[in-house]
């Protein structure tokens, strides 16, 4: 299976152990919702995020007291999770951003808190000296009425003038349409001025549950399938670790995550020849850990083989209680009982050298 989405070219930006940009996987990030001064509680949440698959975690840093707390948190993360990057999220004070350079792997700033002049240049110099990346994060609600893209470009130009290239940019909104259009415009503006900076994607205030997941998937997914976006955050109300599987599912749906099998299925209809949802769950359980392949579960041979044209393997209803297995478009085992079908599919994948035991 090949990746279906060509990425917009960007430079690489190093965020501690994680590198983002078009030469690298789209990185999933999240943000703690603890009081940063509660070092233990924050670190526990980071542990849960890491376990879920998050490799960039953002921690809120409203003042100098939190800078010291973050220093301890970063030390713990570097010791226990050397593959995880920590980002300091600065709300108001440029002095806090300056203090964070060299402590965290990336500083996220809101340009609304800068004059755009000397104070920002001082941060660039400090970050350059300490190998700290910056995210210029513009949110729709905090531009004071200014156009988000103009705002972001103004700060990116300062980065360019001062030869600072370790910068990621985002323009976020809670309105999905505004967010998507702004990101597209930002990319056009950057490309017109030769600025291949990586883009971070997210829909703010997405909410929770199905609504929040769909809003995020629509906004982030619309851009990812166009090849835009190098890091993403699914902002959901609730435990941050719950954001990670949603982000991973979005990446997989957009053809950008090959770490797990892509398992598709028909919706079922009057022609369906077995209990589709039960079989689908079983196939996910047995084969979900196999990265890089696509398996289709189809209820009948009337439309199944035609509809699964881009799948690597097919599990297709061949008669009442009978299943045929496909490799691509070719039938390789016919009329197996359901009991025989799963072991036969395992054997087929072993023959093809793509099976591995789940860890
Ligand atoms: S593949 Fe067959 S069973 Fe599945 S929805 Fe299409 S016609 Fe119905």
């Amino acid at each position: 299976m090949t990746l279906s989405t060509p990425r917009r070219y960007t430079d690489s930006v190093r965020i501690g152990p994680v590198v983002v940009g078009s030469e690298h996987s789209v990185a999933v990030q999240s943000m703690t919702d603890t009081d940063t001064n509660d070092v233990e509680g924050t670190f526990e949440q980071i542990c849960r995020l890491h376990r879920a698959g998050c490799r960039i975690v953002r921690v809120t840093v409203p003042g100098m007291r939190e800078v010291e707390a973050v220093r301890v948190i970063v030390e713990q993360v570097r010791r226990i999770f050397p593959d995880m990057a920590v980002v300091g999220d600065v709300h108001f004070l440029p002095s806090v951003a300056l203090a964070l350079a060299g402590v965290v792997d990336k500083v996220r700033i809101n340009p609304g808190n800068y004059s755009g002049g000397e104070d920002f240049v001082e941060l660039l110099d400090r970050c350059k000296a300490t190998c700290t990346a910056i995210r210029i994060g513009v949110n729709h609600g905090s531009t004071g009425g200014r156009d988000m893209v103009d705002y972001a470009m103004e700060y990116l130009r300062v980065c360019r003038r001062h030869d600072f290239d370790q910068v990621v940019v985002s323009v976020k909104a809670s309105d999905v349409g505004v967010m998507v259009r702004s990101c597209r415009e930002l990319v056009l503006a950057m490309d017109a001025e030769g600025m291949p900076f990586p883009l971070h994607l997210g829909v703010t205030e997405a909410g929770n549950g199905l609504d929040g997941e769909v809003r995020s998937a629509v906004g982030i997914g619309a851009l990812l399938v166009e090849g835009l976006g190098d890091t993403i955050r699914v902002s959901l109300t609730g435990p941050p670790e719950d954001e990670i599987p949603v982000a991973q599912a979005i990446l997989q749906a957009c053809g950008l995550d090959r770490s797990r099998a892509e398992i598709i299925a028909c919706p079922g209809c009057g022609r369906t020849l077995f209990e589709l949802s039960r079989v689908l769950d079983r196939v996910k359980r047995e084969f979900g850990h196999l990265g890089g392949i696509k398996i289709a579960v189809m209820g009948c041979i009337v439309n199944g083989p035609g509809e699964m044209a881009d799948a690597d393997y097919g599990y297709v209803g061949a008669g009442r209680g009978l299943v045929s297995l496909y490799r691509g478009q070719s039938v390789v085992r016919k009329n197996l009982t359901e009991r025989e079908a799963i072991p036969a599919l395992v054997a087929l994948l072993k023959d093809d050298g793509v099976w591995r035991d789940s860890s």
Side-chain angles (χ1 to χ4, degrees), residues 24-351:
H24 306 273
S25 303
V26 177
V28 172
Q29 55 180 287
S30 184
M31 186 168 180
T32 55
D33 63 2
T34 49
D35 176 349
T36 303
N37 292 308
D38 174 8
V39 169
E40 202 177 314
T42 303
F43 186 69
E44 280 173 12
Q45 198 168 67
I46 290 173
C47 292
R48 290 195 291 277
L49 282 165
H50 188 275
R51 203 175 307 127
C54 175
R55 291 297 178 268
I56 303 178
V57 62
R58 192 152 43 107
V59 178
T60 184
V61 192
M64 285 300 182
R65 191 172 158 224
E66 285 79 9
V67 173
E68 293 316 308
V70 165
R71 198 185 298 277
V72 179
I73 291 166
V74 169
E75 279 169 13
Q76 288 181 333
V77 170
R78 290 200 174 135
R79 207 173 56 247
I80 312 284
F81 304 126
D83 59 348
M84 191 170 210
V86 181
V87 181
D89 193 81
V90 180
H91 301 259
F92 303 115
L93 301 171
S95 57
V96 171
L98 273 181
L100 277 174
V103 174
V104 294
D105 300 308
K106 183 174 73 171
V107 179
R108 184 262 165 164
I109 58 121
N110 178 348
N113 300 318
Y114 286 82
S115 69
E118 285 307 306
D119 51 357
F120 186 57
V121 173
E122 194 182 0
L123 177 65
L124 296 184
D125 289 344
R126 186 78 64 90
C127 285
K128 198 188 283 189
T130 56
C131 298
T132 307
I134 292 179
R135 171 152 69 94
I136 297 173
V138 183
N139 281 3
H140 194 230
S142 59
T143 61
R146 284 193 60 183
D147 179 85
M148 284 202 292
V149 174
D150 287 349
Y151 213 177
M153 287 301 293
E154 180 187 323
Y155 280 78
L156 292 175
R157 287 185 195 112
V158 178
C159 293
R160 257 287 278 282
R161 273 201 301 280
H162 288 81
D163 207 20
F164 186 87
D165 61 2
Q166 293 300 289
V167 61
V168 178
V169 62
S170 64
V171 283
K172 293 189 180 182
S174 58
D175 182 297
V176 173
V178 170
M179 174 265 187
V180 170
R181 284 191 295 276
S182 299
C183 287
R184 285 180 182 144
E185 284 170 23
L186 176 62
V187 166
L188 286 175
M190 284 197 286
D191 289 352
E193 296 191 30
M195 294 179 178
F197 296 128
L199 186 64
H200 169 67
L201 304 179
V203 176
T204 56
E205 292 90 35
N208 67 0
L210 184 62
D211 290 345
E213 292 171 13
V214 170
R215 288 160 69 82
S216 292
V218 170
I220 295 170
L223 293 158
L224 287 177
V225 295
E226 294 173 9
L228 307 181
D230 304 288
T231 81
I232 65 171
R233 183 193 174 193
V234 172
S235 304
L236 296 178
T237 309
E241 59 269 26
D242 290 354
E243 299 175 355
I244 308 305
V246 182
Q248 290 166 337
I250 292 171
L251 290 179
Q252 191 176 52
C254 294
L256 290 161
D257 180 1
R258 305 180 65 197
S259 62
R260 293 169 301 130
E262 188 176 353
I263 297 172
I264 62 169
C266 74
C269 70
R271 294 195 186 102
T272 307
L273 292 164
F274 53 82
E275 203 184 318
L276 202 48
S277 56
R278 179 179 51 78
V279 171
L280 179 57
D281 285 344
R282 173 101 196 267
V283 170
K284 281 183 179 174
R285 256 195 333 271
E286 301 283 345
F287 301 96
H289 63 287
L290 299 172
I293 62 167
K294 185 168 184 172
I295 301 175
V297 179
M298 309 299 277
C300 79
I301 50 170
V302 179
N303 287 334
E307 297 291 334
M308 61 176 203
D310 61 345
D312 300 302
Y313 298 94
Y315 179 112
V316 182
R320 187 60 60 192
L322 296 176
V323 174
S324 289
L325 299 181
Y326 285 67
R327 182 193 286 119
Q329 286 291 289
S330 308
V331 190
V332 286
R333 297 292 305 272
K334 273 188 177 168
N335 298 328
L336 302 168
T337 64
E338 283 190 56
R339 190 182 287 270
E340 295 167 329
I342 294 285
L345 185 52
V346 172
L348 178 59
L349 296 187
K350 282 183 177 170
D351 285 349

